[in-house]
Amino acid sequence: MNKPFENSTICEDSQLLLQKAARDQIETVWERHQAQQPQCGFCEMGLSCRNCVMGPCRVDPFGEGPQKGVCGADADIIVARNLGRMIAAGAASHSDHGRDLVDVLGEVGSGNGSGYQIRDPEKLKRVAAEYGVATDGKDDFQIAAGLADAMKEDYGCKQKSITLISRAPAKRQELWNNLGVTPRGIDRETSEMMHRTHMGVDNDWQSLLLHGVRNALSDGWGGSMIATEVSDILFGTPTPRATRFNVGVLAKDQVNIIVHGHNPVVSEMVLHAAQSEEMLKLAESKGAKGINLAGVCCTGNELLMRHGVAMAGNHLSTELVLSTGAVEMMLVDYQCIMPSLATVASCYHTKMISTSDKARFPGMEHQEFHPENAAETAMTVVRQAVENFANRGEAFIPVDSVDALGGFSVESIVNALGGSPDPLIDAIKAGKIRGAVGIVGCNNPKIKQDHGHVSLAQRLIENDILVVDTGCAAVANAKAGFKMTDAAELAGPGLQEICGALGVPPVLHMGSCVDNVRILVLASALANALNVDISDLPIAGAAPEWYSEKAATIGVYFVASGVFTVLGPMPPITGSLNIVNLLTEGLNDVVGATFAVEPDPEKAAILIRRHIESKRKALGLPAEDV
Amino acid sequence: MEYVIIGNGVAGISAAESIRQLDADGNITMIGDESGLPYCRPMISMVLEGTATPNQLPIRKAKFYDTLNIAPIFGERVTDIDVGSRTVQVGTAQSVAYDRLLIATGADPRPINAQNQELKNISYMRTSLHVANMLQSLAGTRDALVLGGGLVGFKAAYGLLRRGLKVTMLIGSGYPLSLQVDQTAGQMILKELVAQGLKVKVGVEVTAFEGQDKVEAAQISDGSKIACDMVVIGKGVLPALSFVPRDHIEVDLGIMVNAHMQTSNPHVYAAGDVAEYIDVARNSRWVNAIWPEAVSQGRIAGINMAGRPVAYAGSLSRNVIRIFDLDVLTGGLVTPPHENGYEVMSAMHAGRNTYRKMVFCDQRLVGFTMVNDIEQGGVLMALMHHQIPLTIPKEALLDTRFNFKQVMTHGAWAASPKAA
Amino acid sequence: MKKVIVHPERCVGCMQCMLACAAAHSKTKSLFLAVSEKPQPKPRVHVGVGLYEEGFPNRCRHCNPAPCQLACLPGAIFRDNEIDTVLIDPDKCINCASCAMACPFGVIRYHEDAVAPPGKTVAVKCDNCYERRQQKRIPACVEACMVAALTFETEAAAMKRKTDEISRSVSTGAETAALSPGFELLNTLKKVQIEMRNP
């Protein structure tokens, strides 16, 4: 018989904790996924529409039952509506996260941001310049206030196009203009998508999907990009630093605090409090050897990138981390936080704290963080965590952590390259590096945990393809050891040589899921250096285990920016073969890139390698047959 | 054609009905020692428990014998069979001739070896009369002693607990229900009963009873004494075949039959608790003295006696027990001998309080135990009964989501040897 | 006689038949009101899951002879020949679960029910929508099924359709067109995912 839970996850820590969870009678996401089977085929195919109350409606994929909703929408329209709303939700999530950072930036500018600072004034000035915000003779606070105002304009409807779109290669901008998909305002496009998908508005599935492209671009080159840039300005632009991964980062003899969610606005303050003299003394007085702050999900990635904070796991591990019984407190902000978590925590001493007024959870204590109270609220909750150390029962930390190097922003990559992207371009031209791939996205119980990410990354680096990753994919690849300093040994000879020379691993951790925009910026820099469009580059994207609406939006802005993107799980679109064909073939003529869907990472690797070699060939670079 | 059926239990009744369906004219005689209407024996424990009433017990109406034109001889036991002259001896005076004879005499409780068994309030639990008597003496009793950890013992203990008595159970050896369920399920059941107040003593037997008129105490083999004012003996059953001429009809533990329920004498058939046929799970001869086997075997015997050759796939043990909040369903070989290459898999889900154990021989399911979530038990029984080789991962059967579709997907039913 | 016929290859697992069945066997016959009834109405049709997470509407086949009927201790399970339906008398049922051991399809459940004596757990299974049929309405599960995975027709008609389908598929040069290419695509990918989890 197989090892227990080997079918659920490739991670040893997860396997062992799943056994413990079973013993402790904890229900996990895997069990709930099993209990949901079979999942509704109408919904899986995108053929159910709940947008109005003449409905709900569904279309029979076999052609025998109803073929139109009450309003007359056919399968194409219904699938396009659903996909459109999915994109809107993803864009809204990232962009609203960005807005919260802009608010903090504004508060800091006006002197109300208790505890927040401008950590990267250089970047503040650079971005302000992009926004046309005057910097001469102004202090950082005045610039911050001006930039925050300018960014808020991007959210509204006063602009012809959002500002940071100008970072894209000129050819790409022109293509978007000709297609009429240049985003005009971040909120506007999401709002318009909700309007268009209302009954009786846009009932041309192609036009709906084109707006989907515009909506996704408003996230990738808008909301998400603002989130990343403002985070860098407020908390520092990441530089490479050592860190550790998996549940082994929990400390037996320290107060363990886990931050979960996405926005660094909360976790940065908690980190600060956890490192304060006062709290460390308190911890000592309670018999703890220190305060160990670790992350799960993307807020963890944010802290990792800037401070080397360790990561206990990714999406599917979030319940299991609690089942160690070693966590004094988990603080959550928003996104990807399973409502089941407090139930798991209730089996142990773990305190669960929700922090955002827009994200509340059953069974959690609510301690709302605002810019003006963030520093003191952080002290309050950390004190509670430390005091909870005494209540810890038996802890089960079954593995040792894995070392890794993280913190690769575009700036730090260019720095590592010696100040310009040229060495990377030369290596690509010479074929030492065949190309680069961004592996991004989530975990999904439909795919064995981390199997998609890790198998794909392994095949790519073996074949001299540089991998950059973000989000839960980045945590997966780190757990697998691909980010240890000597991981270059796992790569093909060409990539190994380059990594060795630069002292970097073959898989570069580029941050959280909003940080996917760093990949866009990097791709633009390469395209500009080669004087081509992004779609001409030997690069690709992959979301092998995606689950969330945000990931759908990321996929669309990748493809719309010219990046061939392979999805693991199928999005809910198979109800319309027209739409399947458009996304997997037709888009090539529109944006120069397509989606592919391939759950098997071995096959996905082949698709990607073929794509990269074909792009090399088109650029006149030495190419191989795959 | 003269059909004679010895036994008025469900095997005999099912046989009579099958004969009548195929042969409208033949004469059917039924001989039974229990007078009164044929009743549902497994339900007597529910009468004791109070979840069924005595008037729910009869399985056929009074006019049944008239409707099917059956000549009944009740209140008598058969004393001999003369296979040469094809007659059966009933009591001392009566002799009945047959062309086709069915022996469906069932089983009698296994006697125990203890002194003073004639005291009042000491009873077996085999017949509706036993239970009626127990119920009558309930009012004056407080402490019951149940002998035997088998199915009858457990049902008696459960019924008496639900009636508010204090119950002590003596189990000779092993763990409770060792013939019906595996050790884990046995312990789960025991835990449930103990939680509800049952006292259990393992590895002891009663050597003698004490009392003036009624039983007052029992002497135990470990030298102790247990005060009790009611005793129920449930130490299993033995086939009722003392009258069978062993030199003419082959007898092992039960009367040996072939796939047509025919004994070594071609005019004589046997079915139900008294018959011994191939157990498909054990792949060897076995007496499965259980109600659903009696129904099936009686039916098959009747069809064959009426001249239509129909073969029986084999017998199979099975049981379902509901004890407080625990549903336990078992089938086939629940505890295989380790040495014979059986493969055993089990899964316990503490949160849902479920347990499943599957026993495989090569690709065939040959036994299972399930505690709670028992709705799919019949699918497993059918897999075993038809000896269908599994083409799906065996682990699938441990999952509470297992259902008919999962075996259908892989054409397991089509691969059945019967279909081929 | 028309009967409910299951076409498992068409089931998309939406479970609408279960909702409709539970509502049809409630006191109020309305889904919205039925959810607050006591006892809670429960479905007699059960959408099970196959090894590839495909749906499967599992309901009583009304076998003849019915193994559950043969196994029923108190004689509560009987056949109504006029409507070719195996029924359970909730007043006679003693909830012994003998039928659980007997049903080779696993379609019998045990719970309180609107037509059973209050507070009594009984064996419950499909009654071919006995009540609706008397009102000349088709069974609720069939009415709810939008993909014709459940149909109400004579066995002969269904057989003929199936025979014709098979005959066409074996004609020389016949193309075997997928019933729904999109559904097949989805299922192919799902199968890959599942096989990766269970190698």
Side-chain angles (χ1 to χ4, degrees):
Chain A
M1 215 167 152
N2 297 336
K3 274 193 271 174
F5 300 106
E6 206 178 46
N7 296 346
S8 304
T9 170
I10 67 164
C11 308
E12 194 194 355
D13 58 349
S14 294
Q15 285 168 13
L16 295 169
L17 284 169
L18 274 165
Q19 290 177 49
K20 171 151 197 289
R23 284 199 301 277
D24 293 356
Q25 300 186 29
I26 285 170
E27 179 191 76
T28 67
V29 56
W30 282 278
E31 273 176 275
R32 294 190 298 272
H33 174 253
Q34 294 277 298
Q36 277 295 333
Q37 303 308 324
Q39 286 169 309
C40 171
F42 294 118
C43 302
E44 273 187 313
M45 298 181 75
L47 285 173
S48 49
C49 181
R50 288 179 296 120
N51 291 12
C52 87
V53 184
M54 293 196 291
C57 301
R58 62 264 197 232
V59 163
D60 174 13
F62 302 110
E64 208 136 309
Q67 294 301 295
K68 284 180 177 167
V70 177
C71 68
D74 60 12
D76 293 331
I77 297 172
I78 290 175
V79 172
R81 277 179 184 167
N82 289 330
L83 183 59
R85 288 202 166 184
M86 199 172 191
I87 294 168
S93 305
H94 277 155
S95 300
D96 199 42
H97 163 171
R99 186 200 332 272
D100 285 341
L101 284 153
V102 174
D103 280 345
V104 173
L105 185 69
E107 295 293 331
V108 170
S110 56
N112 297 328
S114 103
Y116 295 100
Q117 298 165 27
I118 306 294
R119 292 264 171 80
D120 191 343
E122 290 311 309
K123 187 152 191 169
L124 171 70
K125 293 189 183 86
R126 279 205 311 281
V127 177
E130 286 183 273
Y131 271 87
V133 173
T135 53
D136 286 347
K138 295 191 171 169
D139 66 17
D140 288 350
F141 296 110
Q142 289 167 317
I143 301 171
L147 179 58
D149 278 346
M151 284 175 160
K152 284 175 186 167
E153 294 290 330
D154 264 355
Y155 278 88
C157 54
K158 277 167 88 176
Q159 322 269 60
K160 278 206 174 115
S161 76
I162 57 174
T163 308
L164 296 177
I165 210 93
S166 59
R167 291 181 172 184
K171 285 181 183 171
R172 196 46 35 183
Q173 293 184 49
E174 194 185 327
L175 182 149
W176 289 334
N177 277 330
N178 293 339
L179 271 178
V181 297
T182 303
R184 300 151 296 178
I186 296 163
D187 288 346
R188 174 174 180 171
E189 307 307 356
T190 294
S191 182
E192 185 172 316
M193 179 59 88
M194 299 311 284
H195 178 198
R196 283 184 188 234
T197 50
H198 184 280
M199 200 317 260
V201 186
D202 195 351
N203 288 293
D204 176 330
W205 60 272
Q206 285 159 311
S207 139
L208 258 177
L209 292 184
L210 268 184
H211 183 69
V213 165
R214 177 156 56 184
N215 197 173
L217 290 172
S218 80
D219 172 16
W221 299 86
S224 277
M225 203 168 270
I226 286 174
T228 292
E229 299 302 48
V230 176
S231 294
D232 284 358
I233 291 167
L234 289 173
F235 308 117
T237 301
T239 52
R241 50 187 81 231
T243 182
R244 293 176 304 125
F245 282 86
N246 83 27
V247 87
V249 307
L250 296 179
K252 266 211 150 61
D253 49 6
Q254 296 188 38
V255 176
N256 289 310
I257 301 177
I258 298 281
V259 286
H260 179 7
H262 284 77
N263 203 321
V265 159
V266 171
S267 52
E268 283 277 348
M269 282 298 138
V270 176
L271 176 65
H272 194 71
Q275 291 171 338
S276 71
E277 201 62 24
E278 183 187 345
M279 287 303 142
L280 288 170
K281 272 198 179 139
L282 183 65
E284 202 181 330
S285 76
K286 301 286 173 191
K289 289 206 171 137
I291 302 175
N292 178 43
L293 184 89
V296 291
C297 242
C298 279
T299 205
N301 278 322
E302 297 278 353
L303 294 187
L304 175 148
M305 291 290 284
R306 300 190 178 90
H307 308 283
V309 164
M311 291 281 287
N314 46 5
H315 175 54
L316 288 187
S317 297
T318 53
E319 292 169 318
L320 300 178
V321 167
L322 297 181
S323 75
T324 58
V327 179
E328 273 61 52
M329 177 178 282
M330 178 181 267
L331 285 126
V332 306
D333 50 78
Y334 44 53
Q335 297 171 17
C336 305
I337 295 147
M338 291 192 263
S340 62
L341 284 174
T343 313
V344 179
S346 68
C347 298
Y348 307 97
H349 72 303
T350 310
K351 275 186 179 294
M352 298 295 298
I353 309 286
S354 55
T355 59
S356 164
D357 66 332
K358 54 187 105 172
R360 309 204 184 212
F361 300 86
M364 292 195 194
E365 187 185 322
H366 194 66
Q367 296 264 16
E368 209 161 291
F369 277 63
H370 293 286
E372 65 278 8
N373 73 359
E376 60 192 277
T377 309
M379 291 296 273
T380 309
V381 294
V382 171
R383 182 173 292 112
Q384 285 176 7
V386 172
E387 278 162 2
N388 196 24
F389 181 71
N391 299 324
R392 190 192 290 183
E394 201 176 323
F396 178 69
I397 305 170
V399 294
D400 291 327
S401 62
V402 175
D403 288 333
L405 196 63
F408 291 94
S409 57
V410 176
E411 291 86 339
S412 67
I413 291 174
V414 172
N415 239 353
L417 292 168
S420 102
D422 291 344
L424 180 59
I425 289 167
D426 292 342
I428 290 174
K429 279 183 177 165
K432 284 181 180 165
I433 295 178
R434 312 301 303 173
V437 171
I439 304 182
V440 306
C442 334
N443 284 146
N444 183 330
K446 291 178 176 174
I447 308 271
K448 192 191 293 193
Q449 186 190 14
D450 289 1
H451 171 73
H453 299 308
V454 169
S455 308
L456 179 61
Q458 186 165 358
R459 288 292 167 265
L460 295 178
I461 59 173
E462 275 169 13
N463 287 288
D464 288 330
I465 293 167
L466 176 70
V467 171
V468 297
D469 59 10
T470 61
C472 287
V475 179
N477 288 332
K479 281 190 278 180
F482 294 159
K483 293 174 184 171
M484 297 194 287
T485 36
D486 54 359
E489 290 166 15
L490 303 168
L495 181 58
Q496 195 171 339
E497 183 192 325
I498 303 294
C499 290
L502 299 174
V504 297
V507 180
L508 302 180
H509 194 129
M510 290 195 75
S512 65
C513 51
V514 290
D515 288 340
N516 280 315
V517 302
R518 298 193 199 271
I519 300 177
L520 293 181
V521 172
L522 184 62
S524 299
L526 294 178
N528 287 336
L530 285 165
N531 196 26
V532 295
D533 194 357
I534 296 174
S535 56
D536 299 320
L537 295 173
I539 62 171
E545 302 177 29
W546 76 283
Y547 92 90
S548 99
E549 292 164 319
K550 292 181 293 171
T553 314
I554 294 166
V556 174
Y557 75 62
F558 262 46
V559 170
S561 299
V563 183
F564 169 65
T565 299
V566 184
L567 303 177
M570 186 65 162
I573 57 168
T574 57
S576 163
L577 287 183
N578 281 331
I579 291 176
V580 172
N581 290 337
L582 178 78
L583 296 187
T584 55
E585 288 168 28
L587 274 183
N588 211 21
D589 299 331
V590 186
V591 295
T594 64
F595 281 101
V597 180
E598 180 48 70
D600 183 347
E602 301 288 346
K603 290 182 186 151
I606 292 170
L607 288 178
I608 287 172
R609 288 175 55 211
R610 253 183 221 146
H611 171 80
I612 282 179
E613 294 301 332
S614 77
K615 290 294 172 185
R616 292 183 62 87
K617 196 171 172 190
L619 285 172
L621 301 176
E624 290 169 356
D625 285 332
V626 178
Chain B
M1 185 69 79
E2 295 290 335
Y3 302 97
V4 173
I5 297 170
I6 314 174
N8 190 32
V10 73
I13 295 285
S14 301
E17 285 173 333
S18 297
I19 292 169
R20 196 46 93 214
Q21 270 188 351
L22 296 169
D23 183 348
D25 305 323
N27 294 322
I28 305 177
T29 304
M30 289 187 80
I31 306 164
D33 67 339
E34 285 185 67
S35 36
L37 293 173
Y39 64 90
C40 182
R41 192 182 310 282
M43 277 175 67
I44 63 170
S45 62
M46 290 155 198
V47 173
L48 176 67
E49 180 193 330
T51 51
T53 58
N55 60 19
Q56 281 179 288
L57 287 181
I59 52 172
R60 296 295 182 273
K61 296 201 166 71
K63 59 185 182 183
F64 165 77
Y65 300 99
D66 280 348
T67 313
L68 291 194
N69 192 18
I70 294 168
I73 304 174
F74 290 150
E76 302 262 19
R77 277 209 161 193
V78 168
T79 49
D80 194 17
I81 301 171
D82 184 339
V83 298
S85 64
R86 287 198 224 140
T87 52
V88 295
Q89 196 68 34
V90 184
T92 46
Q94 209 173 352
S95 153
V96 182
Y98 65 84
D99 295 312
R100 302 275 185 278
L101 173 67
L102 175 66
I103 305 172
T105 40
D108 292 323
R110 187 191 294 268
I112 59 162
N113 193 7
Q115 292 171 349
N116 306 328
Q117 290 187 44
E118 67 291 344
L119 286 169
K120 279 189 188 164
N121 289 1
I122 298 177
S123 172
Y124 292 98
M125 196 171 85
R126 176 67 185 170
T127 65
S128 62
L129 194 62
H130 289 145
V131 168
N133 289 340
M134 286 163 71
L135 286 176
Q136 265 193 340
S137 49
L138 264 186
T141 54
R142 280 182 34 226
D143 297 292
L145 182 64
V146 173
L147 309 185
L151 201 58
V152 170
F154 253 89
K155 289 194 168 179
Y158 179 60
L160 293 171
L161 278 175
R162 303 236 353 191
R163 290 281 184 181
L165 271 70
K166 291 181 182 164
V167 184
T168 304
M169 179 190 272
L170 303 189
I171 307 176
S173 60
Y175 56 88
L177 290 173
S178 57
L179 285 178
Q180 284 78 26
V181 306
D182 79 324
Q183 188 157 8
T184 309
Q187 296 298 349
M188 287 172 87
I189 296 169
L190 183 65
K191 201 175 142 199
E192 180 78 18
L193 282 172
V194 168
Q196 303 285 344
L198 180 77
K199 282 187 207 147
V200 177
K201 284 196 140 192
V202 179
V204 290
E205 282 176 25
V206 170
T207 53
F209 297 106
E210 291 175 3
Q212 290 298 322
D213 173 34
K214 292 178 185 170
V215 67
E216 287 164 18
Q219 285 177 14
I220 311 299
S221 55
D222 64 1
S224 65
K225 196 186 273 189
I226 297 175
C228 55
D229 42 23
M230 177 188 272
V231 174
V232 184
I233 305 167
K235 301 285 282 181
V237 294
L238 291 170
L241 42 67
S242 55
F243 59 91
V244 176
R246 293 176 180 235
D247 44 347
H248 297 288
I249 296 172
E250 274 189 70
V251 172
D252 179 33
L253 180 64
I255 300 170
M256 293 168 66
V257 293
N258 63 18
H260 303 286
M261 298 290 119
Q262 198 174 30
T263 68
S264 58
N265 183 305
H267 294 279
V268 181
Y269 294 75
D273 293 1
V274 78
E276 177 180 317
Y277 183 49
I278 303 288
D279 178 310
V280 290
R282 296 171 189 272
N283 201 21
S284 65
R285 294 195 154 270
W286 198 261
V287 177
N288 279 314
I290 52 174
W291 179 268
E293 273 301 325
V295 174
S296 303
Q297 293 181 14
R299 226 182 122 245
I300 298 284
I303 293 170
N304 281 287
M305 288 165 75
R308 206 174 146 242
V310 169
Y312 188 49
S315 80
L316 201 51
S317 76
R318 79 207 75 157
N319 266 300
V320 61
I321 313 161
R322 296 197 131 150
I323 294 173
F324 295 107
D325 285 334
L326 227 47
D327 297 342
V328 182
L329 198 157
T330 66
L333 203 53
V334 293
T335 313
H338 339 272
E339 67 269 23
N340 288 347
Y342 290 99
E343 191 181 350
V344 177
M345 291 181 180
S346 65
M348 168 89 77
H349 196 296
R352 283 200 303 269
N353 200 26
T354 62
Y355 168 69
R356 274 188 188 196
K357 169 174 159 177
M358 301 289 145
V359 181
F360 301 96
C361 184
D362 298 322
Q363 288 308 110
R364 283 189 306 120
L365 179 70
V366 295
F368 70 88
T369 300
M370 51 203 329
V371 179
N372 291 335
D373 286 352
I374 60 168
E375 289 85 354
Q376 303 303 315
V379 184
L380 299 178
M381 286 299 302
L383 281 173
M384 279 202 294
H385 216 166
H386 300 294
Q387 304 185 52
I388 291 164
L390 282 175
T391 53
I392 62 172
K394 290 171 182 160
E395 288 87 348
L397 274 58
L398 290 176
D399 196 321
T400 48
R401 297 181 313 152
F402 173 75
N403 65 70
F404 179 75
K405 166 74 185 207
Q406 303 196 348
V407 274
M408 196 179 91
T409 317
H410 282 243
W413 298 97
S416 145
K418 273 180 91 183
Chain C
M1 190 186 299
K2 284 190 179 177
K3 49 165 70 179
V4 178
I5 294 174
V6 179
H7 310 270
E9 70 280 7
R10 285 172 175 268
C11 178
V12 298
C14 70
M15 304 193 189
Q16 292 295 319
C17 52
M18 292 173 67
L19 287 184
C21 178
H25 292 88
S26 67
K27 289 176 194 154
T28 55
K29 313 295 174 206
S30 144
L31 181 62
F32 300 114
L33 299 174
V35 288
S36 51
E37 276 178 31
K38 282 203 174 106
Q40 281 247 300
K42 294 200 163 94
R44 278 86 169 131
V45 59
H46 310 281
V47 176
V49 57
L51 288 175
Y52 295 104
E53 288 170 1
E54 72 278 28
F56 176 64
N58 199 11
R59 65 192 287 289
C60 176
R61 274 72 164 172
H62 302 278
C63 311
N64 193 1
C68 59
Q69 188 182 350
L70 293 177
C72 181
L73 297 180
I77 304 183
F78 62 102
R79 169 174 292 279
D80 184 332
N81 280 317
E82 244 173 72
I83 52 170
D84 199 20
T85 297
V86 176
L87 297 166
I88 303 179
D89 181 339
D91 291 302
K92 281 192 178 172
C93 174
I94 55 166
N95 188 34
C96 64
S98 292
C99 46
M101 292 194 290
C103 176
F105 302 106
V107 294
I108 306 174
R109 298 291 180 272
Y110 304 87
H111 50 76
E112 291 180 33
D113 193 62
V115 298
K120 183 183 174 190
T121 296
V122 293
V124 180
K125 66 166 201 67
C126 168
D127 61 358
N128 273 332
C129 273
Y130 184 80
E131 212 180 318
R132 287 170 62 99
R133 293 296 296 134
Q134 288 189 323
Q135 302 157 357
K136 305 284 173 218
R137 298 165 73 195
I138 66 169
C141 56
V142 175
E143 192 176 83
C145 185
M146 286 293 125
V147 293
L150 298 166
T151 57
F152 191 60
E153 56 191 323
T154 63
E155 223 164 20
M159 282 291 205
K160 178 163 187 337
R161 210 151 32 86
K162 210 73 192 168
T163 309
D164 289 349
E165 262 173 45
I166 291 169
S167 307
R168 272 196 299 278
S169 72
V170 297
S171 296
T172 323
E175 280 179 33
T176 46
L179 220 45
S180 159
F183 192 52
E184 196 163 283
L185 173 63
L186 174 71
N187 287 334
T188 307
L189 293 168
K190 277 167 72 178
K191 204 169 163 179
V192 171
Q193 285 171 192
I194 291 158
E195 281 173 347
M196 283 186 337
R197 293 206 304 265
N198 308 303

